[in-house]
Amino acid sequence: MEHISSNNISLSFIQETWITDNNNHTTAMVKAYGYKMHHYHRKDSAGGGVAIIFKPTIKLIRVFVNHANTFESVCVKIMLPNNKSMLCCCIYRTGAVTTFFSDFDDFIGDVFVKYSKFLICGDVNLHLDLVSAHTAEFLRIISSYGLHQHVMGATHKAGHTLDVVISSNKVVDKDEVSIQPQTSNFPSCDHFPLNFSTNCELLPADDKKKITFRNIKKIDLQKYRDVLSDGIGTGKNTNLTSFKNRIDHYNAVCTVALDEHAPILTKWIREVDSAPWFDSEYKEARKLRRKAEKQMFKSGLDIDRDIHAHLRIHCNELAKSKKVQFYKSQFVKYNHSQKSLYQFVDTFLDKDDDLTLPPIESLQQTVDDFNTFFTEKVKKIRKSFPLSPSTTWKSESFTGTKLAQFEPTTVEEVAEILKDTNIKSCGLDPVPAELLKENLDLFLPELCDLVNLSLTSGSMDGVKVAHLTPLIKSMSLDSSKKKKVPTATLR
């Protein structure tokens, strides 16, 4: 990540990531550097794995392309001007050569009709620098689709060309692909990094995020209480005798009061991520290193090369020490609270509960599709149950005291229950949890009446409302609705 960040690389194709799950310290580190990542990892064995690391300023979405298991892949669709797009894939061959050729041919054929521009990078584990039947067959496949392989030169320490940069016409110029045989930057890697530029104008992603919020802290509590006092208690003084009418009246009064004193505000914020350990000392060291790197390429002198190597090592060591110091300080900071410590560890391991939805073209269509899918799924489950044979039930005589009605609750009892309960709220609630806690004395009489009305009428109409969110089971699976489960936040 230090190499990607310091060289201001917009899009990176990584093979053999050795990532073992969806979220871990590696994915957290990518985010800490201000980048995002889509990746595929092996679930049942170690090794392998591919990833595309990109700047959040690039407008792209992940796409899932089915293929055989002779190679691993992760693909994204990058948006271009004039409603065009380019498919970018990172691949890593893992299977037999002869089978791979057939599978790779099918893979390109499936996506060829959908996209006009292609960029495929990765490790194909073929010695493309040698004249062989395998090399000829691989080049024949890509040329049959009008694609070009741009890498010329050794990409491996053993002196062979194993890595490829394949693109459609005019996406990448052959002269733009450069190989950096500097193993000191990547001591644990036996492949050399490839750098290149594309000729495509990429659409920038919307780096601003629209948020809505209520400024609860600036509410005039006395005026807010006056509005509620005038409205809440009027429900039982009218002809609102059903539970649903009373709960609708309660929700309406609370919503009007909240909108009046804490209206919904809209704000655009710019999300700029950077590693939390990047302080002024480290940033200055990076500036000096970049300056030395430019001088090295400009002069070609050994002295400038040595200066750049020294500053590069210093910068890498400084980043490591800053990172260690940051995490040590965070563990000490949260040591007093087990909850805070667990939350920090979750962030450290990238276990944040980010909402992950499949790529969508129309939000309304996606919502309708999910609704239809889960409705039909419930119907199928119900139909799968065997029909029970009809039986005659005989009631036995009951000699005890029958429960004909519930005993009404009291304000004191409701207050005691809420006192022992962690009061929470969701976006559907007319009263935020913070306001409910601060003004509980005002709400208690009405809440008590609502509970008693529900008990006497046997009704829960009007409160059975939920906010459904489809959560993906695994990021390594495709975006099919079958791979998701609905979760509900109840009002």
Side-chain angles (χ1 to χ4, degrees):
M1 283 307 304
E2 180 64 25
H3 174 78
I4 294 174
S5 176
S6 61
N7 288 277
N8 198 29
I9 296 174
S10 299
L11 197 68
S12 302
F13 300 82
I14 313 295
Q15 302 86 46
E16 294 189 85
T17 61
W18 284 66
I19 295 177
T20 56
D21 51 16
N22 296 328
N23 303 87
N24 52 32
H25 175 55
T26 301
T27 59
M29 181 177 61
V30 171
K31 292 182 179 180
Y33 275 87
Y35 282 78
K36 294 184 178 181
M37 178 172 71
H38 291 308
H39 71 94
Y40 165 84
H41 69 274
R42 298 179 185 177
K43 299 183 288 294
D44 303 322
S45 62
V50 289
I52 294 179
I53 300 175
F54 59 96
K55 285 185 175 181
T57 53
I58 299 178
K59 189 175 184 179
L60 61 78
I61 59 175
R62 183 174 182 176
V63 295
F64 295 86
V65 183
N66 295 323
H67 58 78
N69 59 2
T70 55
F71 64 99
E72 300 171 343
S73 74
V74 59
C75 301
V76 298
K77 180 173 73 171
I78 296 183
M79 311 309 295
L80 305 176
N82 301 321
N83 293 323
K84 294 183 179 180
S85 61
M86 176 173 63
L87 182 70
C88 296
C89 299
C90 181
I91 64 172
Y92 174 58
R93 182 177 73 82
T94 57
V97 176
T98 54
T99 312
F100 165 73
F101 288 146
S102 175
D103 295 339
F104 189 62
D105 193 355
D106 294 339
F107 170 77
I108 298 180
D110 288 342
V111 298
F112 188 76
V113 296
K114 300 178 182 178
Y115 301 93
S116 59
K117 296 182 181 294
F118 291 89
L119 178 59
I120 303 174
C121 304
D123 179 4
V124 295
N125 274 320
L126 296 173
H127 292 173
L128 299 177
D129 53 302
L130 302 180
V131 178
S132 66
H134 289 163
T135 300
E137 178 62 14
F138 181 76
L139 295 178
R140 183 198 66 79
I141 293 174
I142 62 175
S143 63
S144 66
Y145 293 96
L147 306 179
H148 307 276
Q149 205 289 103
H150 303 285
V151 179
M152 298 296 172
T155 65
H156 191 271
K157 291 181 179 180
H160 293 290
T161 304
L162 278 67
D163 303 277
V164 297
V165 175
I166 302 171
S167 75
S168 50
N169 189 35
K170 297 183 179 180
V171 170
V172 175
D173 292 332
K174 182 181 296 186
D175 297 336
E176 290 292 329
V177 179
S178 63
I179 304 172
Q180 293 185 332
Q182 300 176 7
T183 58
S184 58
N185 285 346
F186 308 95
S188 62
C189 182
D190 52 5
H191 289 251
F192 303 141
L194 308 178
N195 293 336
F196 62 92
S197 300
T198 67
N199 297 321
C200 299
E201 179 185 356
L202 307 183
L203 281 182
D206 189 358
D207 60 347
K208 290 186 177 181
K209 180 180 180 182
K210 182 180 180 180
I211 62 172
T212 58
F213 64 97
R214 296 180 186 270
N215 200 338
I216 303 296
K217 294 183 179 180
K218 290 190 176 182
I219 289 182
D220 188 325
L221 287 181
Q222 187 56 53
K223 293 182 178 180
Y224 176 71
R225 290 174 64 93
D226 291 343
V227 173
L228 288 176
S229 299
D230 295 338
I232 286 183
T234 59
K236 60 182 178 181
N237 299 327
T238 61
N239 58 351
L240 302 178
T241 57
S242 71
F243 176 77
K244 185 179 186 309
N245 290 339
R246 282 288 298 276
I247 198 70
D248 289 344
H249 174 77
Y250 170 82
N251 290 335
V253 170
C254 293
T255 301
V256 169
L258 188 63
D259 289 340
E260 179 180 345
H261 294 278
I264 296 177
L265 303 176
T266 301
K267 185 178 181 180
W268 289 90
I269 61 173
R270 189 183 300 273
E271 295 182 307
V272 180
D273 296 324
S274 62
W277 55 87
F278 281 10
D279 58 10
S280 57
E281 180 185 6
Y282 175 73
K283 291 178 180 179
E284 185 63 28
R286 282 180 57 171
K287 289 181 181 179
L288 293 176
R289 184 193 63 188
R290 285 197 293 267
K291 184 178 180 180
E293 184 179 25
K294 292 179 181 179
Q295 179 62 27
M296 176 189 67
F297 287 126
K298 181 179 179 180
S299 68
L301 299 176
D302 290 340
I303 183 65
D304 289 331
R305 189 178 301 277
D306 292 339
I307 292 174
H308 172 256
H310 171 74
L311 291 175
R312 187 186 67 246
I313 294 173
H314 169 69
C315 207
N316 290 340
E317 293 299 325
L318 186 62
K320 291 179 182 178
S321 64
K322 294 288 185 182
K323 185 177 179 181
V324 171
Q325 292 174 10
F326 168 77
Y327 282 117
K328 280 185 177 179
S329 65
Q330 293 300 104
F331 276 110
V332 172
K333 177 181 177 180
Y334 296 118
N335 190 42
H336 68 283
S337 171
Q338 190 177 45
K339 180 180 179 181
S340 299
L341 185 60
Y342 271 111
Q343 290 176 344
F344 170 69
V345 171
D346 284 344
T347 303
F348 177 76
L349 298 177
D350 196 22
K351 298 297 183 182
D352 293 338
D353 297 328
D354 293 334
L355 175 62
T356 304
L357 294 175
I360 58 176
E361 298 293 340
S362 169
L363 178 60
Q364 184 61 50
Q365 184 62 42
T366 302
V367 172
D368 293 341
D369 289 345
F370 272 116
N371 183 55
T372 301
F373 173 79
F374 287 115
T375 300
E376 294 299 322
K377 185 175 182 179
V378 171
K379 290 181 180 179
K380 290 179 181 179
I381 293 175
R382 287 176 175 173
K383 289 182 180 180
S384 66
F385 294 151
L387 297 177
S388 302
S390 58
T391 57
T392 304
W393 179 77
K394 296 181 180 180
S395 61
E396 298 181 0
S397 58
F398 179 73
T399 58
T401 304
K402 294 183 179 181
L403 179 61
Q405 62 183 16
F406 290 102
E407 181 179 349
T409 187
T410 62
V411 171
E412 291 75 16
E413 185 180 19
V414 174
E416 191 66 26
I417 293 174
L418 292 178
K419 181 181 178 181
D420 299 332
T421 304
N422 185 16
I423 299 177
K424 296 182 179 181
S425 62
C426 76
L428 299 174
D429 290 310
V431 183
E434 182 180 350
L435 285 179
L436 183 60
K437 293 176 183 178
E438 293 183 12
N439 302 276
L440 191 57
D441 61 307
L442 181 65
F443 290 99
L444 276 175
E446 181 66 13
L447 293 177
C448 181
D449 288 342
L450 289 171
V451 171
N452 287 330
L453 183 57
S454 176
L455 292 175
T456 56
S457 63
S459 173
M460 290 287 290
D461 293 336
V463 295
K464 295 186 293 184
V465 181
H467 184 185
L468 291 176
T469 304
L471 300 181
I472 195 168
K473 291 182 178 179
S474 174
M475 279 300 295
S476 61
L477 302 174
D478 60 37
S479 59
S480 163
K481 295 178 287 297
K482 294 183 180 180
K483 305 303 182 184
K484 296 179 178 290
V485 292
T487 61
T489 303
L490 300 177
R491 183 176 72 182

